[in-house]
Amino acid sequence: MKNWDEAKETLLKDPEFGEEVKKLEPEHQIISQLIKARIEQNITQEELAKRIGTRQGNISRLEKGNSNPS
């Protein structure tokens, strides 16, 4: 069984797959920055949700990449 780095390297050799990964990079960067900022401020998803006027579940889905912010 391959480890993730080997599997990723193999997948990225496929031009179509690589292009799709590039398309998702901006979204991934935003999510990573959100999580990093929340952790650096030592706040929970629930606290962030309260601060911005939404529910914790929305923050969770956003951080997982399962929703688009409106």
Side-chain angles (χ1 to χ4, degrees):
M1 178 174 222
K2 296 180 178 183
N3 67 34
W4 170 242
D5 290 331
E6 291 171 339
K8 182 178 171 184
E9 183 179 329
T10 300
L11 290 168
L12 288 173
K13 289 179 182 176
D14 177 351
E16 194 173 321
F17 182 85
E19 188 62 33
E20 290 301 315
V21 169
K22 285 180 187 177
K23 287 179 187 177
L24 293 173
E25 184 62 26
E27 182 178 333
H28 175 75
Q29 289 294 326
I30 291 169
I31 293 168
S32 295
Q33 289 173 9
L34 172 67
I35 295 169
K36 181 181 176 188
R38 183 176 62 76
I39 290 170
E40 286 175 352
Q41 292 183 30
N42 197 33
I43 61 173
T44 64
Q45 290 179 344
E46 187 170 346
E47 178 61 27
L48 176 59
K50 287 179 186 177
R51 289 183 186 189
I52 64 173
T54 191
R55 297 179 313 206
Q56 179 273 331
N58 293 335
I59 301 299
S60 177
R61 284 188 294 280
L62 180 63
E63 288 185 359
K64 290 178 184 176
N66 294 336
S67 70
N68 292 318
S70 56

